[in-house]
Amino acid sequence: MFENKSLNIGIVCYPTYGGSGVVATELGLALANKGHNIHFISYRQPERLSRQYFNNVFVHEVRPQNYPLFEFPPYELTLIGKIIEVAKFEKLDLLHVHYAIPHAFSAYNAKMMLAEMGIHMPIITTLHGTDVTLVGKDSSVAPVVKYSMQQSDYLTAVSEFLKQETYDYFNIDKDIEVIPNFVDFGKFSKKQFSHFKVSIAPNNEKVLVHVSNFRKVKRVQDVIKAFDLISREIPSKLILVGDGPERSNMEALCRELGTCDNTRFIGKLGAVEDILSIADLFLMPSETESFGLAALEAMACECPVISTDVGGFPEINIEGKTGYLTQVGDYQKMAELSIKLLKNNGLLSEFRKNAYNRSLDFALDKVLPLYEGLYWRAVEGVKVV
Ligand code: GMT
């Protein structure tokens, strides 16, 4: 019905290396590929946009004012101002905000001010995780988060877990649609990198990988402790991708355990898929995880996952098929299961295949129409199937 029409879509997001920032950016690029005009609004150019030029993708930076009076420059105010400017002059049809704090609140205020100017702008808020499960629960912001969610025209969550968690904690009276995160197989698929594998694992050691932003919630210490046990049984290498507040502590732990020679901290590598292509196992011991996009990307590269059994993990990682689910903090179990899998090449190949097949359920071309359908409903007030 609307196949030949394009929309002017505003996307408010964090410009981060992983998580909601990446989902927002990849979604915007996929929509741009389909002919929509995409306007990113963020405090910096989103990481994944710096690689290529797109004719119909625009970035609008939010620069909070600095004034000696402001110990904390008022980001939300500047964001509201920027949303109004972009909506008005770029004739946005809708605004999609990723991560509720403070984006949903700023979007609603902008919407109200635009209404006074006779401009209607529907708002879609996508909840990603810590905006509900961690930061959003803080009593200093919880009422504002709840209010902003209520005021959004449409609310989506990236997993059934997150939807339920939002209802349980915030007790909101609003429909939440689950639209899962997705994987772009054009980018994430197993590539032949034998030269690369040789340089990382010259003696054909097994390669274990972890990717995260090294926040406490990721429990990177469990990866390092599990690897210590695994490497005593199986010749193996550990690659840690990403960076963040816990990085120094984790390097110290490696030194303490004596595993540094077999461990590489490679920082915020852009081409994560290169590392995933040579990985035998992906470890993700998070304390909570609404979805676990990094695990899905590993599975798309035919890499099984051992994760915790919390949050949205069981919705992607199928116990005993695509990997295993362990209790939070049980790094011994994580090590035991890793050893079992890595010692049995037949089982490992079967898990690799299962992981890939499962990841197909989250292919970009399956998920993108769900967002597009929602956009048309928001704009036209009709249901598109
Ligand atoms: O994991 C983080 O700390 C970053 C966070 C974010 O919002 O950027 O990630 C959340 O959103 C991702 C994309 O939807 C999910 O894959 C992550 O599971 C989720 N993180 C948590 O729930 C801890």
Side-chain angles (χ1 to χ4, degrees):
M1 186 178 188
F2 295 108
E3 264 170 17
N4 298 321
K5 288 194 185 173
S6 65
L7 291 167
N8 294 334
I9 301 167
I11 294 184
V12 177
C13 65
Y14 286 108
T16 44
Y17 171 72
S20 61
V22 161
V23 173
T25 315
E26 295 291 351
L27 174 63
L29 293 178
L31 290 161
N33 252 328
K34 293 198 76 181
H36 300 292
N37 298 311
I38 306 300
H39 293 268
F40 286 102
I41 303 174
S42 190
Y43 60 75
R44 205 176 44 235
Q45 162 123 337
E47 288 275 337
R48 292 208 181 169
L49 284 187
S50 42
R51 295 181 184 183
Q52 213 185 320
Y53 169 76
F54 300 87
N55 211 23
N56 50 346
V57 173
F58 309 87
V59 179
H60 307 269
E61 278 194 20
V62 182
R63 312 275 352 144
Q65 274 181 315
N66 250 327
Y67 185 70
L69 186 64
F70 301 149
E71 191 175 341
F72 307 104
Y75 181 72
E76 289 79 355
L77 276 194
T78 323
L79 177 58
I80 294 167
K82 185 57 80 179
I83 294 172
I84 291 172
E85 179 191 312
V86 177
K88 204 167 147 190
F89 295 110
E90 303 295 345
K91 303 199 171 3
L92 293 187
D93 293 301
L94 66 105
L95 187 73
H96 187 174
V97 307
H98 291 261
Y99 206 89
I101 306 168
H103 300 155
F105 179 71
S106 301
Y108 176 64
N109 281 281
K111 180 188 164 98
M112 289 295 97
M113 289 178 223
L114 284 162
E116 300 248 309
M117 301 171 204
I119 299 171
H120 172 62
M121 187 187 61
I123 296 168
I124 293 159
T125 298
T126 291
L127 307 171
H128 279 273
T130 47
D131 45 354
V132 167
T133 58
L134 222 65
V135 197
K137 286 182 178 169
D138 191 288
S139 57
S140 62
V141 295
V144 189
V145 176
K146 178 174 176 173
Y147 178 78
S148 317
M149 289 192 290
Q150 291 275 24
Q151 301 304 330
S152 291
D153 295 292
Y154 292 88
L155 257 189
T156 80
V158 297
S159 63
E160 291 292 342
F161 158 79
L162 188 58
K163 171 179 174 174
Q164 200 48 51
E165 186 73 5
T166 310
Y167 281 137
D168 290 349
Y169 192 83
F170 288 98
N171 191 25
I172 56 167
D173 164 28
K174 184 147 206 112
D175 211 36
I176 302 178
E177 195 164 326
V178 174
I179 302 187
N181 287 333
F182 52 85
V183 67
D184 179 356
F185 285 90
K187 183 170 181 334
F188 287 94
S189 59
K190 193 173 171 65
K191 301 186 180 81
Q192 280 316 316
F193 275 137
S194 36
H195 58 290
F196 189 33
K197 163 105 195 199
V198 170
S199 77
I200 301 256
N203 300 308
N204 206 23
E205 293 93 340
K206 295 289 188 203
V207 177
L208 291 97
V209 175
H210 170 77
V211 180
S212 78
N213 51 23
F214 283 65
R215 295 202 187 123
K216 273 198 182 331
V217 69
K218 302 294 172 180
R219 295 190 63 92
V220 186
Q221 71 272 22
D222 290 347
V223 175
I224 294 169
K225 288 180 187 168
F227 180 70
D228 176 35
L229 301 177
I230 297 163
S231 59
R232 290 180 205 194
E233 295 267 332
I234 296 178
S236 44
K237 299 283 181 186
L238 173 64
I239 314 280
L240 295 150
V241 185
D243 213 325
E246 287 294 297
R247 163 88 181 259
S248 293
N249 290 339
M250 295 307 111
E251 288 185 286
L253 181 60
C254 254
R255 288 193 287 273
E256 195 185 305
L257 295 174
T259 52
C260 292
D261 286 350
N262 291 318
T263 303
R264 289 270 297 268
F265 288 82
I266 59 170
K268 294 182 180 178
L269 178 79
V272 187
E273 62 278 12
D274 292 1
I275 295 290
L276 294 175
S277 288
I278 61 155
D280 293 295
L281 199 52
F282 191 84
L283 301 181
M284 209 159 169
S286 312
E287 193 169 322
T288 171
E289 201 71 62
S290 71
F291 186 88
L293 182 61
L296 177 64
E297 290 174 342
M299 288 161 67
C301 294
E302 301 174 31
C303 181
V305 171
I306 301 192
S307 67
T308 39
D309 57 2
V310 294
F313 275 139
E315 293 173 46
I316 10 176
N317 189 17
I318 313 300
E319 164 70 21
K321 280 197 95 172
T322 63
Y324 295 108
L325 299 162
T326 58
Q327 284 183 354
V328 174
D330 196 350
Y331 67 88
Q332 291 99 334
K333 187 78 186 167
M334 210 165 230
E336 186 192 307
L337 292 167
S338 301
I339 293 166
K340 172 179 156 181
L341 196 53
L342 294 173
K343 271 190 172 168
N344 184 339
N345 280 332
L347 190 64
L348 184 59
S349 317
E350 195 186 312
F351 272 47
R352 279 187 183 283
K353 229 180 294 156
N354 294 342
Y356 172 72
N357 286 336
R358 176 67 181 145
S359 71
L360 293 173
D361 294 339
F362 300 89
L364 173 64
D365 56 3
K366 286 194 174 138
V367 177
L368 191 61
L370 304 178
Y371 276 118
E372 270 191 298
L374 182 59
Y375 292 167
W376 284 116
R377 263 185 278 154
V379 171
E380 306 276 348
V382 292
K383 191 173 167 83
V384 178
V385 281

